PDB file of all heavy atoms in Angstrom:
ATOM      1  N   ILE A 190     -69.644 110.964  74.061  1.00  0.00           N
ATOM      2  CA  ILE A 190     -69.935 109.869  74.892  1.00  0.00           C
ATOM      3  C   ILE A 190     -69.988 108.564  74.116  1.00  0.00           C
ATOM      4  O   ILE A 190     -70.742 108.452  73.156  1.00  0.00           O
ATOM      5  CB  ILE A 190     -71.324 110.109  75.678  1.00  0.00           C
ATOM      6  CG1 ILE A 190     -71.324 111.322  76.376  1.00  0.00           C
ATOM      7  CG2 ILE A 190     -71.560 108.933  76.646  1.00  0.00           C
ATOM      8  CD1 ILE A 190     -70.329 111.680  77.471  1.00  0.00           C
ATOM      9  N   VAL A 195     -70.071 105.093  79.272  1.00  0.00           N
ATOM     10  CA  VAL A 195     -71.365 104.730  79.948  1.00  0.00           C
ATOM     11  C   VAL A 195     -71.097 103.570  80.886  1.00  0.00           C
ATOM     12  O   VAL A 195     -71.088 102.432  80.420  1.00  0.00           O
ATOM     13  CB  VAL A 195     -72.403 104.433  78.839  1.00  0.00           C
ATOM     14  CG1 VAL A 195     -73.791 104.095  79.566  1.00  0.00           C
ATOM     15  CG2 VAL A 195     -72.686 105.561  77.934  1.00  0.00           C
ATOM     16  N   THR A 223     -81.413 109.251  79.558  1.00  0.00           N
ATOM     17  CA  THR A 223     -80.695 107.978  79.982  1.00  0.00           C
ATOM     18  C   THR A 223     -80.011 107.372  78.770  1.00  0.00           C
ATOM     19  O   THR A 223     -80.561 107.312  77.737  1.00  0.00           O
ATOM     20  CB  THR A 223     -81.802 107.011  80.549  1.00  0.00           C
ATOM     21  OG1 THR A 223     -82.545 107.588  81.592  1.00  0.00           O
ATOM     22  CG2 THR A 223     -81.119 105.702  81.072  1.00  0.00           C
ATOM     23  N   LEU A 224     -78.782 106.995  78.996  1.00  0.00           N
ATOM     24  CA  LEU A 224     -77.953 106.397  77.922  1.00  0.00           C
ATOM     25  C   LEU A 224     -77.842 104.896  78.161  1.00  0.00           C
ATOM     26  O   LEU A 224     -77.682 104.435  79.278  1.00  0.00           O
ATOM     27  CB  LEU A 224     -76.626 107.069  77.909  1.00  0.00           C
ATOM     28  CG  LEU A 224     -76.630 108.590  77.872  1.00  0.00           C
ATOM     29  CD1 LEU A 224     -75.186 109.060  77.818  1.00  0.00           C
ATOM     30  CD2 LEU A 224     -77.385 109.075  76.706  1.00  0.00           C
ATOM     31  N   ILE A 225     -77.862 104.106  77.095  1.00  0.00           N
ATOM     32  CA  ILE A 225     -77.626 102.638  77.175  1.00  0.00           C
ATOM     33  C   ILE A 225     -76.711 102.235  76.005  1.00  0.00           C
ATOM     34  O   ILE A 225     -76.887 102.610  74.899  1.00  0.00           O
ATOM     35  CB  ILE A 225     -78.980 101.914  77.162  1.00  0.00           C
ATOM     36  CG1 ILE A 225     -78.727 100.421  77.368  1.00  0.00           C
ATOM     37  CG2 ILE A 225     -79.723 102.156  75.973  1.00  0.00           C
ATOM     38  CD1 ILE A 225     -79.997  99.634  77.693  1.00  0.00           C
ATOM     39  N   ARG A 235     -75.242  98.333  79.436  1.00  0.00           N
ATOM     40  CA  ARG A 235     -74.957  99.254  80.555  1.00  0.00           C
ATOM     41  C   ARG A 235     -75.742 100.566  80.370  1.00  0.00           C
ATOM     42  O   ARG A 235     -75.714 101.084  79.337  1.00  0.00           O
ATOM     43  CB  ARG A 235     -73.457  99.463  80.695  1.00  0.00           C
ATOM     44  CG  ARG A 235     -72.587  98.321  81.175  1.00  0.00           C
ATOM     45  CD  ARG A 235     -71.193  98.754  81.552  1.00  0.00           C
ATOM     46  NE  ARG A 235     -70.483  99.641  80.788  1.00  0.00           N
ATOM     47  CZ  ARG A 235     -69.223  99.462  80.290  1.00  0.00           C
ATOM     48  NH1 ARG A 235     -68.523  98.462  80.862  1.00  0.00           N
ATOM     49  NH2 ARG A 235     -68.647 100.347  79.532  1.00  0.00           N
ATOM     50  N   ALA A 236     -76.250 100.991  81.460  1.00  0.00           N
ATOM     51  CA  ALA A 236     -77.129 102.248  81.330  1.00  0.00           C
ATOM     52  C   ALA A 236     -76.719 103.213  82.446  1.00  0.00           C
ATOM     53  O   ALA A 236     -76.298 102.853  83.487  1.00  0.00           O
ATOM     54  CB  ALA A 236     -78.635 101.853  81.544  1.00  0.00           C
ATOM     55  N   ALA A 237     -76.965 104.488  82.116  1.00  0.00           N
ATOM     56  CA  ALA A 237     -76.615 105.577  83.050  1.00  0.00           C
ATOM     57  C   ALA A 237     -77.323 106.822  82.698  1.00  0.00           C
ATOM     58  O   ALA A 237     -77.631 107.078  81.613  1.00  0.00           O
ATOM     59  CB  ALA A 237     -75.066 105.858  83.019  1.00  0.00           C
ATOM     60  N   VAL A 251     -74.078 104.195  71.269  1.00  0.00           N
ATOM     61  CA  VAL A 251     -74.849 104.568  72.437  1.00  0.00           C
ATOM     62  C   VAL A 251     -76.305 105.050  72.052  1.00  0.00           C
ATOM     63  O   VAL A 251     -76.395 105.826  71.074  1.00  0.00           O
ATOM     64  CB  VAL A 251     -74.188 105.727  73.237  1.00  0.00           C
ATOM     65  CG1 VAL A 251     -74.982 106.231  74.438  1.00  0.00           C
ATOM     66  CG2 VAL A 251     -72.810 105.225  73.659  1.00  0.00           C
ATOM     67  N   THR A 252     -77.294 104.516  72.705  1.00  0.00           N
ATOM     68  CA  THR A 252     -78.700 104.844  72.434  1.00  0.00           C
ATOM     69  C   THR A 252     -79.172 105.815  73.513  1.00  0.00           C
ATOM     70  O   THR A 252     -78.922 105.680  74.730  1.00  0.00           O
ATOM     71  CB  THR A 252     -79.606 103.609  72.466  1.00  0.00           C
ATOM     72  OG1 THR A 252     -79.169 102.710  71.405  1.00  0.00           O
ATOM     73  CG2 THR A 252     -81.016 104.020  72.279  1.00  0.00           C
TER      74      THR A 252
END
Side-chain angles (χ1 to χ4, degrees):
I190 306 298
V195 181
T223 302
L224 309 179
I225 183 168
R235 287 196 314 225
V251 175
T252 299

